[in-house]
Amino acid sequence: PPYDEPRKLYRSRRDRIIGGVCGGIAYYFGVDATVVRIIAVILLAAFPPMATVAYLVIALFVPQV
């Protein structure tokens, strides 16, 4: 993709377990989805209500590709 074009966050259809949120975030930052999923589990264990709400908001408002 051209470098002057801004990146957009999308949920992944291919790399998904529940809603494609972690797969989409991993693609956006250029890292492995497993790393994002591990971070998500750690955040869920440390801050259950906040992490759950953040995941649900992303799953509801970020479009799929």
Side-chain angles (χ1 to χ4, degrees):
Y3 290 105
D4 57 344
E5 195 172 304
R7 294 185 300 178
K8 294 183 180 180
L9 179 62
Y10 294 104
R11 291 185 296 131
S12 175
R13 285 187 190 200
R14 290 182 13 186
D15 192 7
R16 67 185 298 164
I17 291 181
I18 297 175
V21 173
C22 292
I25 292 172
Y27 181 77
Y28 183 82
F29 287 110
V31 297
D32 186 30
T34 304
V35 173
V36 177
R37 289 185 181 110
I38 291 170
I39 292 170
V41 168
I42 292 169
L43 289 173
L44 185 61
F47 310 102
M50 189 170 35
T52 303
V53 169
Y55 189 92
L56 291 174
V57 167
I58 293 171
L60 289 173
F61 293 108
V62 174
Q64 273 188 336
V65 168

